Amino acid sequence: MIPIVPKPSASTAFAVIPAVVLAAAALTVAPAAAQDERMVGIWQKDLERSDADWPHRHDRRLPNAADIEVEVSLDGEDVVMVFTSRRGDWPTPQTTTAHYITDNKPNPVPDIDNGTPREVRAKWRKRKLSVSYTIRFPFEADIEQSWEVSKDGQNLVLTRFGRVATQPRPDIRKNYFVRATAVQ
């Protein structure tokens, strides 16, 4: 005896199709690794190509600019950056370690200039590390940083956006870092 299977109604068919499409989409979309492993290593700031540090003018380099080296490592999805600054008039290099927890929640991270902790939010946006915080001088400035490796893999690029409530446009600075072995 052949079983009789009822023919599905149009409403049943339309209910099944979206469920099948969603199930297939869920199986084909695998989460991509957010972090960029190419960041790992030791990078040296290229002072010739980098903008002067904010809030100084783009075209006027400080006469005593520090030589900056950053060692980048990954801790799961999080990023650890060890900044080493050297200057001729300093007796020893200054080193600061910043551990960026990439959950986009406020976490204390020491300032690379003076070591004072500040509340920092960090997250991966595709293969870019996005870091944001507020600095306080006699005024407040919101800072957003975007760290990414160039397409050719030769540079670590830091783009920094500084926003002050009294200015209509953000101050945008780019810093370029090359692999330390390329400059030593």
Side-chain angles (χ1 to χ4, degrees):
M1 180 187 284
I2 299 175
I4 299 174
V5 178
K7 188 175 181 181
S9 68
S11 63
T12 306
F14 286 118
V16 171
I17 291 172
V20 171
V21 170
L22 287 173
L27 293 174
T28 59
V29 177
Q35 78 265 18
D36 190 349
E37 293 83 12
R38 298 176 307 155
M39 279 189 186
V40 173
I42 300 173
W43 299 86
Q44 183 75 34
K45 185 173 181 179
D46 185 339
L47 292 172
E48 294 298 316
R49 291 191 307 152
S50 297
D51 290 331
D53 288 332
W54 184 86
H56 305 288
R57 291 182 40 201
H58 288 276
D59 59 346
R60 185 174 49 192
R61 185 110 5 247
L62 291 176
N64 59 353
D67 217 10
I68 298 174
E69 181 181 278
V70 60
E71 182 176 356
V72 181
S73 61
L74 298 176
D75 182 11
E77 289 284 316
D78 300 337
V79 179
V80 178
M81 293 185 175
V82 178
F83 295 91
T84 303
S85 302
R86 294 176 184 85
R87 216 168 73 181
D89 58 342
W90 292 348
T92 59
Q94 296 180 355
T95 302
T96 304
T97 302
H99 188 148
Y100 296 112
I101 299 172
T102 58
D103 60 3
N104 202 31
K105 295 178 183 169
N107 291 291
V109 174
D111 176 49
I112 67 165
D113 292 325
N114 60 24
T116 304
R118 67 174 75 160
E119 292 298 311
V120 172
R121 292 177 183 263
K123 66 181 173 181
W124 286 102
R125 290 188 172 170
K126 296 188 181 180
R127 296 175 73 86
K128 295 179 184 179
L129 177 65
S130 176
V131 177
S132 61
Y133 53 91
T134 300
I135 56 175
R136 290 170 180 80
F137 293 114
F139 57 90
E140 280 192 5
D142 293 325
I143 306 296
E144 291 182 34
Q145 296 178 345
S146 176
W147 292 86
E148 67 181 309
V149 176
S150 62
K151 289 181 183 177
D152 64 5
Q154 300 299 311
N155 294 287
L156 177 63
V157 182
L158 165 62
T159 305
R160 186 173 43 211
F161 303 87
R163 290 186 180 87
V164 178
T166 59
Q167 294 180 349
R169 295 183 308 165
D171 182 71
I172 301 172
R173 304 290 167 143
K174 282 202 181 249
N175 288 291
Y176 296 89
F177 296 81
V178 295
R179 294 260 179 212
T181 55
V183 294
Q184 291 179 352

